[in-house]
Amino acid sequence: MKLIYTDSLVVGAGLAGLRVAIASKERGLDTLVLSLIPAKRSHSAAAQGGMQASLGNTVKGMGDDEDIHFQDTVKGSDWGCDQDVARMFAHCAPKAVRELANWGVPWTRITEGPRQVVVNAEKVTIEEAKQAHGLINARDFGGTKKWRTCYTADGTGHSLLYAVDNKAISMDIPVHERVEALAIIHDGKRCQGVVARCLVTGELRAYIGKSTTIATGGYGRIYEVSTNAIICEGIGQALALETGVAKLGNMEAVQFHPTAIVPVGILTTEGCRGDGGLLRDKDGHRFMPDYEPEKKELASRDVVSRRMTEHMRKGKGVDSPYGPHLWLDITLLGRKHVETNLREVKEICENFLGIDPAKEWIPVRPTQHYSMGGIRTDKTGQNPQLKGLFSVGEAACWDMHGFNRLGGNSLAETVVGGMIIGKYVADFCEENTLEIDTGLAESFIDKVRSEIDDLVEGEGTESPFVIRKEMQRIMMDYVGIFRNGSELDKAVSELQGLLKRSRDIGLKCSKRHANPELVEALRVKRMIKVALTVACGAAARTESRGAHAREDFPQRNDKDWLNRTLSSWPDENALSPELSYEPLDVMKMELPPGYRGYGIDNAIAHPDTEKRELEIAKILRELDDDADRHQRQNAIMPFEVPEALQPKNERLSDKLTESGEPAAVRKIAK
């Protein structure tokens, strides 16, 4: 048995995992990262449009601050998020953007004077303040009141990942590549590390750490078509689930992005619509104003995806061999803009569609994109059930997204969450000891080895590839954008059948090293369990909230369903998860549930909502007349972040106001 010891063990080398590792290493802790692939190939590199942070530099972002970012995030979540976490996030996002600039991220910058943009299908000229010249720029994204999404053309994730990985390299943080975690080592109360398998040699190793952080990304590949990288299979969530102790949160909350290209499902960034792109139907008609006259194409992602699906159901989709689709039109932006700010989109369209998006419309339709659910954590990123187990990024339900994530808040969460949780991970490592039980580690290695023996030497008849394909079809057909009870019940039943079949998998290749069939067999059994948590959670939640849209229960029901779904796996022989619920306390909310701003307001109110609104009004009345926004916010809902992250954020508008100069220069002309 090979044991490798460290202080801070991180599983996953994307932005979130690397940022936690950097925070640990900064404190002098021994730090080690495990990764399926080389770090710079992590799925974080695929993020295109940008990350949200309320810098308020551009004229269209003037007046932005943490309050507005927080409100956008809570409304975007359909009141499903943890508002303390949303506050922590909004407060620290500007700090993360500026830190990344210091690490070498080439943020797109503001040039003073006039520039042409497209707003609501019209070309207009805005004039940037002289004092803003050279500051970080921002573009518009769906569901936001201000232009807040900081970007580097449409390759933001790529830029961030390279800068953060280079920072980790400069700090001598080791990354063990082509290594896959297959079990969490624990005694029922304390996490001690993971059992991992080398994908090249097949060697099993026990990695032992004071803290273990799961940062393995989302679970999009349980669906047939997804914008996710093929490594985003939910294995991190599955490992936590298989402990039988740790719980997952809100697994039914799955986001579909409106504009993935047809048929391959590769993403075209929300920046296309943020920069002024339009959605058109088979007749060339711009249809989003018919559904959402205020926000149009820049409504929240879940809303746009549903409106597109509804429009195609009316027969307005473009017929194709791959099913109906709609058009994304960015031709009005002009070739220079497309080739400068949307160059990845241009290359994707050229390479996968054979079209020039500066001249031709792009075929798109909603496709699975993001997982709001994940390993349930508290505000520090630690799992409440298993001490020493942390999670961050898309792998986690830290819960700043609730039931729908705003565009730009995902890339932001990786580095902001990594920054915050990384400090708490370091605190944990410094404040706690670990009594290492080599016998416990050996028992978990033996269990994984026995699983591999059964697959390689057994007489099973089922193909892991066939089972995987069936699982993905079930999820796509029955647990998609629109859901209903009969289809969800069918999904649960069929997935349970697949889980039974997965216990009889047989391999054609008996190699124990570099064997893709063995890798698939080990993963697919775990992926089905993750799929069942999604389907069972969706079947049980008899309401519509954010990306979870029940056709048979169209109302958001705060009275009965203002809670977080928790999933746990009872035992090895179980065929479905156990569900429990964690209520969201309205009386502690800074922003009580209200109208989200889309469609009709049909929500069933929580009985405490009016009471909390009155309480907030009373709190504000009792404050001094000269209380600033920070004092008002603290009186309503105080929140904590690590000491180093507590200072207030500075903005250009604050400096201009202090100097007596106008806060912004704005000239708009058609």
Side-chain angles (χ1 to χ4, degrees):
M1 178 179 67
K2 185 172 184 178
L3 283 87
I4 300 170
Y5 304 93
T6 189
D7 292 322
S8 177
L9 174 66
V10 180
V11 183
L15 280 170
L18 289 174
R19 188 60 188 82
V20 169
I22 289 168
S24 298
K25 189 71 172 182
E26 284 175 335
R27 299 273 277 272
L29 296 166
D30 192 25
T31 305
L32 177 62
V33 181
L34 309 183
S35 181
L36 286 173
I37 55 178
K40 285 186 171 70
R41 290 178 56 197
S42 298
H43 185 50
S44 298
Q48 297 171 355
M51 68 171 281
Q52 286 202 37
S54 58
L55 300 182
N57 292 331
T58 177
V59 67
K60 295 291 254 177
M62 280 290 176
D64 197 12
D65 57 33
E66 302 90 346
D67 296 345
I68 301 173
H69 191 183
F70 165 78
Q71 291 163 11
D72 286 346
T73 299
V74 173
K75 290 180 180 179
S77 77
D78 218 355
W79 276 271
C81 72
D82 183 324
Q83 294 194 15
D84 282 335
V85 170
R87 263 295 173 189
M88 295 165 69
F89 165 75
H91 173 78
C92 293
K95 296 173 171 58
V97 169
R98 288 162 176 154
E99 179 180 69
L100 290 166
N102 290 333
W103 290 358
V105 172
W107 294 112
T108 299
R109 301 281 174 159
I110 295 170
T111 301
E112 66 174 286
R115 66 181 174 112
Q116 194 175 75
V117 297
V118 177
V119 179
N120 193 23
E122 292 185 340
K123 291 186 178 180
V124 300
T125 297
I126 63 174
E127 186 162 324
E128 299 290 3
K130 180 180 180 179
Q131 298 86 343
H133 185 78
L135 299 181
I136 296 170
N137 208 339
R139 57 170 33 132
D140 201 6
F141 254 43
T144 64
K145 291 180 181 177
K146 301 286 185 178
W147 289 26
R148 184 187 301 124
T149 306
C150 310
Y151 62 101
T152 62
D154 62 343
T156 314
H158 179 100
S159 299
L160 265 61
L161 183 61
Y162 272 60
V164 173
D165 186 47
N166 288 344
K167 177 69 174 177
I169 291 171
S170 73
M171 298 176 72
D172 294 323
I173 297 173
V175 178
H176 288 199
E177 298 171 355
R178 296 179 176 86
V179 172
E180 180 168 25
L182 290 173
I184 291 174
I185 300 169
H186 68 98
D187 59 8
K189 295 181 180 179
R190 180 74 155 86
C191 173
Q192 297 193 11
V194 300
V195 174
R197 176 176 176 269
C198 176
L199 294 174
V200 179
T201 66
E203 178 187 41
L204 292 179
R205 308 166 186 163
Y207 287 88
I208 307 298
K210 286 183 179 179
S211 70
T212 301
T213 303
I214 304 295
T216 51
Y219 43 92
R221 285 293 163 175
I222 65 174
Y223 284 84
E224 188 173 26
V225 183
S226 172
T227 67
N228 287 192
I230 58 172
I231 57 172
C232 298
E233 298 174 313
I235 302 303
Q237 291 89 338
L239 299 187
L241 193 65
E242 287 188 330
T243 64
V245 181
K247 295 183 179 182
L248 310 184
N250 285 349
M251 292 296 285
E252 68 269 33
V254 178
Q255 184 179 86
F256 285 69
H257 195 287
T259 55
I261 65 172
V262 177
V264 292
I266 296 173
L267 180 69
T268 58
T269 172
E270 190 163 315
C272 290
R273 288 172 287 126
D275 290 0
L278 307 178
L279 291 169
R280 301 187 186 276
D281 63 18
K282 68 177 183 180
D283 302 317
H285 172 62
R286 182 191 180 194
F287 59 89
M288 276 306 297
D290 302 339
Y291 295 99
E292 299 296 340
E294 183 180 347
K295 294 296 289 184
K296 306 174 183 67
E297 282 85 359
L298 289 175
S300 200
R301 282 183 182 175
D302 60 318
V303 176
V304 178
S305 292
R306 284 195 293 274
R307 296 309 195 194
M308 291 173 68
T309 304
E310 290 168 6
H311 204 61
M312 287 188 285
R313 285 179 172 182
K314 294 175 181 177
K316 294 296 184 179
V318 182
D319 291 331
S320 81
Y322 314 102
H325 67 76
L326 295 163
W327 298 113
L328 173 62
D329 175 12
I330 62 172
T331 60
L332 70 167
L333 302 182
R335 179 169 298 281
K336 181 180 179 182
H337 184 96
V338 170
E339 293 183 348
T340 302
N341 291 317
L342 297 170
R343 56 179 181 257
E344 281 195 12
V345 170
K346 181 176 181 289
E347 291 173 0
I348 288 167
C349 290
E350 289 173 341
N351 294 332
F352 291 90
L353 298 173
I355 67 170
D356 179 357
K359 295 194 303 184
E360 300 169 82
W361 297 348
I362 307 167
V364 295
R365 67 170 167 239
T367 299
Q368 194 286 335
H369 175 62
Y370 189 81
S371 315
M372 277 77 72
I375 300 170
R376 180 69 184 122
T377 74
D378 60 20
K379 297 174 187 62
T380 71
Q382 186 171 199
N383 179 260
Q385 293 83 34
L386 206 53
K387 184 179 179 182
L389 176 64
F390 291 78
S391 188
V392 66
E394 196 174 352
C397 180
W398 186 36
D399 207 13
M400 58 163 283
H401 301 307
F403 273 76
N404 177 67
R405 172 179 69 78
L406 290 183
N409 265 0
S410 171
L411 200 57
E413 186 197 18
T414 60
V415 288
V416 178
M419 170 192 280
I420 297 170
I421 292 169
K423 291 184 182 299
Y424 288 125
V425 167
D427 289 344
F428 181 89
C429 290
E430 289 179 345
E431 295 167 4
N432 290 271
T433 59
L434 176 63
E435 294 184 10
I436 298 170
D437 185 345
T438 57
L440 180 67
E442 189 167 7
S443 70
F444 275 89
I445 283 186
D446 289 344
K447 187 176 179 181
V448 173
R449 184 179 290 112
S450 177
E451 181 183 3
I452 293 171
D453 289 344
D454 289 344
L455 288 168
V456 173
E457 301 170 4
E459 299 180 355
T461 57
E462 295 284 355
S463 164
F465 302 106
V466 171
I467 289 176
R468 177 195 179 99
K469 191 173 181 179
E470 275 294 292
M471 172 197 66
Q472 292 173 325
R473 177 195 61 78
I474 292 166
M475 295 300 293
M476 210 73 191
D477 289 349
Y478 304 136
V479 200
I481 294 175
F482 285 103
R483 302 167 175 180
N484 61 69
S486 60
E487 290 185 346
L488 290 170
D489 290 342
K490 191 171 184 180
V492 171
S493 176
E494 292 188 13
L495 288 170
Q496 288 175 331
L498 283 182
L499 185 57
K500 290 179 183 177
R501 287 171 57 189
S502 72
R503 294 167 181 170
D504 189 36
I505 287 177
L507 304 183
K508 295 180 180 179
C509 178
S510 58
K511 289 182 179 178
R512 293 175 181 268
H513 65 282
N515 182 351
E517 189 183 23
L518 175 58
V519 171
E520 184 72 14
L522 290 168
R523 291 178 185 173
V524 74
K525 293 188 289 186
R526 294 169 169 85
M527 292 173 72
I528 294 171
K529 291 179 181 177
V530 170
L532 274 163
T533 64
V534 177
C536 290
R541 184 172 285 272
T542 53
E543 66 153 358
S544 291
R545 185 180 298 274
H548 172 68
R550 287 284 297 259
E551 293 180 292
D552 45 353
F553 295 96
Q555 292 177 284
R556 190 186 83 201
N557 186 347
D558 294 334
K559 179 176 177 290
D560 300 313
W561 284 104
L562 192 62
N563 56 36
R564 190 172 291 112
T565 305
L566 300 178
S567 307
S568 58
W569 202 262
D571 57 67
E572 291 182 359
N573 298 316
L575 292 176
S576 60
E578 288 183 350
L579 301 181
S580 56
Y581 296 93
E582 178 183 359
L584 303 181
D585 189 350
V586 175
M587 296 306 294
K588 293 182 179 178
M589 291 182 180
E590 179 179 345
L591 187 63
Y595 177 48
R596 192 177 171 206
Y598 304 113
I600 60 171
D601 183 7
N602 66 350
I604 300 171
H606 191 282
D608 287 342
T609 295
E610 186 176 359
K611 188 190 307 182
R612 178 58 173 165
E613 289 172 344
L614 292 172
E615 184 177 70
I616 290 172
K618 181 175 182 292
I619 291 170
L620 294 177
R621 282 197 306 271
E622 293 174 350
L623 291 176
D624 293 336
D625 292 340
D626 59 350
D628 63 20
R629 65 180 181 87
H630 301 288
Q631 292 168 323
R632 293 195 297 271
Q633 190 281 319
N634 187 64
I636 297 170
M637 190 189 76
F639 68 95
E640 295 181 5
V641 294
E643 185 177 357
L645 303 177
Q646 290 174 5
K648 296 176 183 178
N649 298 301
E650 291 187 358
R651 292 180 178 82
L652 174 62
S653 57
D654 298 331
K655 293 182 178 180
L656 292 177
T657 302
E658 290 170 5
S659 66
E661 298 181 52
V665 178
R666 179 175 180 179
K667 180 178 68 179
I668 299 183
K670 293 184 180 180

